[in-house]
Amino acid sequence: MIQFNTLYNISAGIYFAFHNKNTKEKSYGVNHSANKKQKVKEWFPIYKFENMTKENYIIHCLYTNFKYPTTSYRKTIDKMADIPKKETALFKEEIYHYKKYLKEDIQKLIDEGVTLDIQSTIDRYWRKEIKWYTLYFIIMSISKDGLNDSIIQKSRVNKKIIYNIEKLLLYVSFSEDTIQKVKNIIITNNLI
């Protein structure tokens, strides 16, 4: 059973990491006064989360901030309370078995014989044809500027998804070896 202080520190730490543009490190905690925590405890739906494992709660927080960004910490917690655990479990599955899903995405693109650019790749992401990390790997393979590419920067919607991916990558990382292997597969199969 997770205690309120742990729930608060994890959710607030992740929320502020996603909402502070200058944050370059993951955070699972905040340094707030006991008075501030007590005020939050009065409305925080502890019963919705206390039976989760710490790992599942962290993933639930990451998923909410990534998929359903809000304008306030309270709205984020309200949204978290409404998201079915099954939805978060699918996100956890995507993360833990990313290699499998990445291979499936890339194989589907190879089979279609497409040549991708940044905008068409982002469009495929919005149509749920590829996962967020496939989008990430393709953009990193296409653009010498990576996630700061000018095509991304021209669109507020594109910037937001890339921003959320960058924040998620504070918590979910890929080895340099994996990144290089995926880039090589994308390039050798003429996807870009």
Side-chain angles (χ1 to χ4, degrees):
M1 188 157 144
I2 307 176
Q3 300 299 313
F4 169 75
N5 278 341
T6 303
L7 293 170
Y8 177 75
N9 280 329
I10 291 170
S11 60
I14 291 172
Y15 173 83
F16 291 117
F18 268 79
H19 288 80
N20 183 337
K21 290 180 181 179
N22 298 323
T23 302
K24 302 290 185 217
E25 295 179 8
K26 63 184 171 185
S27 172
Y28 294 115
V30 291
N31 189 14
H32 290 161
S33 69
N35 187 33
K36 170 115 175 131
K37 287 181 182 180
Q38 185 56 41
K39 286 180 182 177
V40 171
K41 190 175 185 177
E42 292 170 8
W43 58 261
F44 196 97
I46 298 168
Y47 66 95
K48 291 272 195 169
F49 311 114
E50 64 188 357
N51 292 325
M52 288 181 158
T53 64
K54 189 174 177 181
E55 174 188 15
N56 286 344
Y57 184 70
I58 289 168
I59 290 171
H60 197 70
C61 292
L62 289 171
Y63 179 69
T64 305
N65 283 283
F66 176 67
K67 210 66 165 171
Y68 304 104
T70 66
T71 57
S72 74
Y73 175 68
R74 185 170 188 159
K75 287 179 183 176
T76 298
I77 297 302
D78 290 343
K79 184 64 182 171
M80 281 176 56
D82 292 339
I83 295 174
K85 289 181 178 78
K86 189 174 186 177
E87 194 175 325
T88 304
L90 291 172
F91 184 67
K92 180 179 179 179
E93 168 80 8
E94 275 184 24
I95 291 171
Y96 282 19
H97 301 287
Y98 78 91
K99 287 182 182 179
K100 171 188 159 196
Y101 294 114
L102 186 59
K103 284 178 186 176
E104 288 174 4
D105 283 353
I106 291 175
Q107 189 58 53
K108 183 172 44 173
L109 295 170
I110 291 169
D111 292 346
E112 290 176 15
V114 298
T115 301
L116 299 168
D117 59 21
I118 290 176
Q119 190 57 55
S120 67
T121 305
I122 292 171
D123 292 344
R124 284 178 178 272
Y125 171 79
W126 287 119
R127 290 190 308 262
K128 299 182 184 198
E129 295 174 10
I130 59 173
K131 306 275 189 247
W132 63 269
Y133 37 76
T134 307
L135 171 64
Y136 168 75
F137 281 118
I138 291 172
I139 289 174
M140 295 305 286
S141 299
I142 291 174
S143 175
K144 65 180 181 347
D145 296 325
L147 300 178
N148 293 315
D149 191 277
S150 62
I151 292 171
I152 295 168
Q153 299 305 314
K154 288 178 187 175
S155 165
R156 190 173 55 85
V157 174
N158 291 352
K159 275 173 53 174
K160 185 62 181 162
I161 187 55
I162 298 306
Y163 175 84
N164 284 346
I165 289 173
E166 286 179 319
K167 293 303 181 174
L168 188 57
L169 288 171
L170 295 175
Y171 297 88
V172 179
S173 59
F174 304 104
S175 70
E176 283 300 318
D177 185 48
T178 298
I179 293 169
Q180 199 54 50
K181 281 180 184 176
V182 173
K183 278 184 178 183
N184 289 341
I185 291 169
I186 289 169
I187 292 167
T188 57
N189 286 285
N190 299 318
L191 291 175
I192 56 171

